[in-house]
Structure formats: structure tokens, C-alpha cells
């Protein structure tokens, strides 16, 4: 008689079921290991690292998904009673959509990360890169929201008692939205605004904006709010709808290049051509100037001073700010050291030569008139007393 004959083994049912489950787990983990090895080899042969991102994001959810699918497939091979089989199927119906959704969300986020890596916003002309990154970030969050919604609906469909709820939720999502619209109007408003922003693009990642009197850069665009990094390292959180309904300044809407300005109040007698020549030397010697344009002009006049405006171009907002500061400091130093007469001065005219010969002072004329006419303030003559 053969020593190892499966038909003559007399093993308990739990041992057989445990061995079946163990074999299923080993097969699932082995299949995952082989699949990841193949995927990583393929990814290693490509020059960029975008496909590596997809492999890394899919590794964990794919492992658990294969395990759950393997356990769901061996249910018929197990010695389960009717109740245990129903529970096993119910758990599989909840867990399988959950892990499928997890895998889908990770792949969507990997796509968003790949867009970020391919859109380099550190270059000088980064308008197209900022457009791609902004649209990718918003669409990624919308896709994650949709996948999460569908996953919840599929999990509800696996429960017999609430299957009708899942069908209704999927078939009449618009009616459900109307039912909760009154209570969640601000949130829904911002979500719709976020979807609209993905295509209209009033702002993009790394845009320089002024909103609520604050200067900053668009750091993050969420589905319902936008994070603005203020210049002093504060963060301003603004609802998405604000950028579609209210006015704000976008300094980098079409290009990152800017025109910086600085103003000086000088004496009306200042030598403007000399100052203009020195300004040209300062601008041309500054590395922050992008070489496009510069100008010095008198833009306003007042009785005691004139307004001089200087303009110079720079490649972006931060460079333009530093360039303006450099121009102010250099021109002030030049005026202080070599043109002090250009600083504003107050003038007062105390009198002109020869005004005494021009005529009699008004005060003297008044005194002479008062002394002879007997008016108020004059000394009356003495009159004789009546007899």
C-alpha cells in the first residue's frame, strides 16, 4: 500500500480547510511577487521614473486585493455551512470593492504625481507647466471623489438589506444632491467651483496673486479651497468660489514677466538728464534686470517737488521686487552723495530788494493818516471851555 495516498488520508475538516486557505494565500502572494518583479524590471528599463511611481503606488493595494480575491474564490472548496458561507460571501462583497477602490485611488494619485514630475515649475517660463500641474491636481481630486463615491455604492449593493439604498444612490445621485443641497450649499458650491476652475483656470499653481490685500503665491488648490502662501510665511485659506465670484489680482496670468516701479520725490530744479543717465548705468549693471525695458520719467509736479518714476522689467514677481529695492537704494545713494541739491527743499521769500524805495509802507501810511484826520486812535485837540 502506498504511503502517501491522498484518498486514504484521514484528516480533520478544519485542517483541510486551513490548508486550502493557506494554499490560496501562498498562490496570491506568489502571483503578486511575480507580477511586481516583472513590473519593476519593465520600469527599470525606462529612462524616466514615472512608471516607477505607478508600480510603487499599486504594490500594497494589489497585494491585498489578490489575497481577498483568492479567499473569495476558495469559498466553494471549503466545508462551510449555509450561514458561514453567507457571511463569507458578504464579507467578500464588502472587502473586494473596498480594495478595488483603494487600488484605483492609488493609481489616480500616481497619475497626479506623474503630472507633477513632468511639469517642472522651477524654470523661468513655467506657464505651460503650471497649467498642466493645476489641471492635473484638480482633476485628480475630482477622480478620487468619484471613485470613492462609486466604491461606497458598490459596497452597499453587496448588502441585501441596503441594496435598494445603493441602487437609489447610484441611479438618483442628482436627487440626493438636491435633498442635501440646502444643508450643504457652501460645500457643494465650492465643489462645483473647483470643477469649473479646472477648465477655466483663473489661477494656477505658483501664480502670484493679491487677494484680501495680501501678496502671495498659490501653493495648493483643493477641491473646495485654495491655500495661498503669503510672503511672510503665513498661509491664507480661501474658498474656491472666491476666485470665480470676486475680483483679485493675478500677476502671472499670461506670463511670469513683470514691470517693477519705484517713485522718488525730488526738487523741481533737479538735473533729470543726469539722473536718467545714472539710472541707465544702474539698471544695466544689475543681474536681476531681464534686458527688456527700463525708463525714468517725471510723472507728476507739485509747487515744491516733482515725482520721478523709474520702471524696469524682471523675469518674475520675486525678482521684480528685489530689483525695485536695488534701484531705490542705488538711486538714493547717488542723490545723497553726488546730487544733494536734488533733494526736496522748502523755499520762503522774505522780501525783495528795493521794496522800501518802491513806496511808503502801508503801516506808515496808516499812521500818518490816523494822526491828521482825528480818527480812532488819534489824540484829540484841546478845546476851550465855554464861558
Amino acid at each position: 500500500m502506498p504511503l502517501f495516498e491522498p484518498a486514504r488520508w484521514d484528516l480533520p475538516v478544519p485542517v483541510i480547510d486551513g490548508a486550502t486557505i493557506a494554499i490560496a494565500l501562498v498562490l496570491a502572494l506568489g502571483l503578486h511577487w511575480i507580477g511586481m518583479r516583472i513590473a519593476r524590471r519593465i520600469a527599470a528599463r525606462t529612462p524616466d521614473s514615472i512608471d516607477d511611481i505607478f508600480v510603487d503606488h499599486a504594490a500594497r493595494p494589489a497585494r491585498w486585493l489578490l489575497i481577498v480575491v483568492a479567499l473569495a474564490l476558495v469559498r466553494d472548496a471549503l466545508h462551510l455551512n449555509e450561514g458561514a458561507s453567507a457571511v463569507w460571501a458578504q464579507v467578500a462583497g464588502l472587502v473586494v470593492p473596498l480594495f478595488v477602490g483603494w487600488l484605483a485611488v492609488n493609481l489616480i494619485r500616481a497619475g497626479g504625481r506623474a503630472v507633477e514630475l513632468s511639469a517642472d515649475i522651477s524654470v523661468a517660463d513655467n506657464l505651460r507647466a503650471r497649467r498642466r500641474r493645476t489641471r492635473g491636481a484638480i482633476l485628480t481630486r475630482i477622480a478620487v471623489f468619484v471613485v470613492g463615491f462609486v466604491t461606497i455604492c458598490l459596497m452597499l449593493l453587496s448588502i441585501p438589506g441596503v441594496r435598494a439604498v445603493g441602487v437609489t444612490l447610484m441611479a438618483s445621485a442628482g436627487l440626493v444632491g438636491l435633498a442635501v443641497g440646502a444643508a450643504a450649499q457652501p460645500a457643494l458650491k465650492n465643489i462645483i467651483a473647483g470643477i469649473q476652475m479646472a477648465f477655466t483656470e483663473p489661477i494656477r499653481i505658483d501664480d502670484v496673486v493679491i487677494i484680501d490685500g495680501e501678496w502671495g503665491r498659490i501653493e495648493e488648490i483643493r477641491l473646495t479651497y485654495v491655500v495661498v502662501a503669503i510672503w511672510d510665511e503665513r498661509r491664507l485659506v480661501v474658498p474656491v468660489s472666491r476666485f470665480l465670484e470676486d475680483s483679485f489680482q493675478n500677476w502671472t496670468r499670461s506670463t511670469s514677466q513683470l514691470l517693477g516701479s519705484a517713485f522718488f520725490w525730488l526738487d523741481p530744479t533737479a538735473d533729470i538728464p543726469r539722473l536718467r543717465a545714472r539710472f541707465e548705468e544702474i539698471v544695466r549693471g544689475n543681474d536681476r534686470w531681464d534686458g527688456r525695458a527700463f525708463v525714468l520719467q517725471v510723472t507728476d509736479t507739485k509747487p515744491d517737488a516733482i515725482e520721478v518714476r523709474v520702471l524696469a522689467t524682471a523675469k518674475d514677481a520675486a525678482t521684480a521686487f528685489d530689483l525695485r529695492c536695488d534701484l531705490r537704494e542705488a538711486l538714493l545713494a547717488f542723490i545723497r552723495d553726488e546730487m544733494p541739491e536734488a533733494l526736496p527743499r522748502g523755499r520762503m521769500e522774505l522780501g525783495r530788494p528795493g521794496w522800501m524805495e518802491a513806496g511808503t509802507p502801508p503801516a506808515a501810511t496808516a499812521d500818518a493818516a490816523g494822526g491828521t484826520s482825528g480818527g480812532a486812535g488819534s489824540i484829540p485837540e484841546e478845546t476851550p471851555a465855554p464861558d
Side-chain angles (χ1 to χ4, degrees):
M1 183 181 66
L3 182 60
F4 298 102
E5 187 176 348
R8 296 182 177 274
W9 289 357
D10 188 11
L11 298 176
V13 172
V15 174
I16 297 176
D17 291 345
T20 303
I21 293 174
I23 293 173
L25 293 176
V26 170
L27 290 177
L29 293 176
L31 182 61
H32 175 267
W33 182 81
I34 294 173
M36 287 296 104
R37 290 274 295 182
I38 295 174
R40 293 187 190 280
R41 278 181 180 272
I42 296 175
R45 294 179 180 179
T46 57
D48 52 26
S49 60
I50 293 179
D51 43 9
D52 296 327
I53 297 175
F54 284 92
V55 174
D56 293 338
H57 279 71
R60 289 186 60 193
R63 181 191 302 119
W64 287 102
L65 180 61
L66 288 174
I67 291 174
V68 171
V69 171
L71 293 178
L73 293 177
V74 299
R75 177 174 63 91
D76 295 335
L78 301 178
H79 301 80
L80 301 176
N81 55 32
E82 185 176 353
S85 180
V87 171
W88 191 283
Q90 184 62 65
V91 173
L94 287 173
V95 176
V96 170
L98 178 63
F99 285 106
V100 170
W102 182 18
L103 177 61
V105 167
N106 273 24
L107 291 178
I108 292 171
R109 289 177 174 170
R113 179 60 180 164
V115 171
E116 290 183 8
L117 292 179
S118 62
D120 185 12
I121 62 175
S122 61
V123 297
D125 188 9
N126 59 0
L127 179 61
R128 181 176 298 179
R130 290 189 291 111
R131 179 183 291 118
R132 290 182 58 191
R133 180 171 290 194
T134 301
R135 184 169 294 179
I138 297 177
L139 293 180
T140 296
R141 292 183 175 92
I142 294 174
V144 169
F145 175 79
V146 172
V147 169
F149 177 80
V150 173
T151 300
I152 294 175
C153 293
L154 292 177
M155 293 175 67
L156 292 176
L157 287 175
S158 67
I159 304 176
V162 294
R163 183 171 298 171
V165 177
V167 174
T168 304
L169 188 60
M170 295 188 68
S172 60
L175 297 178
V176 175
L178 291 176
V180 301
Q185 183 178 1
L188 294 176
K189 178 181 178 182
N190 287 320
I191 291 175
I192 296 174
I195 298 173
Q196 183 180 354
M197 185 178 292
F199 300 98
T200 59
E201 295 183 348
I203 57 173
R204 306 181 185 93
I205 298 295
D206 206 45
D207 265 347
V208 177
V209 298
I210 295 181
I211 185 169
D212 292 340
E214 299 284 358
W215 184 98
R217 291 182 178 272
I218 302 297
E219 183 179 49
E220 190 176 2
I221 300 178
R222 291 286 184 176
L223 199 57
T224 57
Y225 65 90
V226 176
V227 179
V228 181
I230 308 301
W231 63 273
D232 56 359
E233 299 187 355
R234 290 177 294 147
R235 297 297 184 270
L236 183 65
V237 180
V238 185
V240 170
S241 59
R242 285 279 304 278
F243 292 95
L244 297 176
E245 297 176 354
D246 298 337
S247 300
F248 65 96
Q249 296 185 37
N250 189 337
W251 290 12
T252 53
R253 179 68 179 88
S254 57
T255 178
S256 60
Q257 298 173 338
L258 284 178
L259 183 66
S261 61
F263 295 87
F264 300 88
W265 286 99
L266 303 177
D267 192 83
T269 62
D271 189 353
I272 299 301
R274 181 185 176 191
L275 189 64
R276 184 177 288 117
R278 179 56 180 167
F279 170 69
E280 180 177 354
E281 295 177 4
I282 294 172
V283 173
R284 293 187 182 277
N286 195 304
D287 295 335
R288 294 187 173 95
W289 180 55
D290 62 1
R292 288 188 296 135
F294 66 89
V295 67
L296 183 147
Q297 296 172 314
V298 178
T299 54
D300 195 7
T301 59
K302 294 187 181 298
D304 56 349
I306 59 173
E307 182 187 66
V308 177
R309 182 186 67 182
V310 297
L311 301 176
T313 56
K315 63 180 182 179
D316 53 38
T319 306
F321 179 83
D322 293 335
L323 178 61
R324 292 165 60 193
C325 296
D326 292 345
L327 296 179
R328 289 192 192 98
E329 295 173 3
L331 283 177
L332 285 176
F334 174 74
I335 294 172
R336 180 197 63 212
D337 298 336
E338 302 185 30
M339 290 182 61
E341 69 278 2
L343 296 174
R345 291 172 290 176
R347 292 174 172 82
M348 181 180 296
E349 186 173 357
L350 299 178
R352 288 174 294 179
W355 69 274
M356 289 291 293
E357 293 79 6
T360 305
T365 306
D367 290 343
T372 58
S373 64
S378 61
I379 301 175
E381 294 182 358
E382 200 174 325
T383 56
D387 296 336

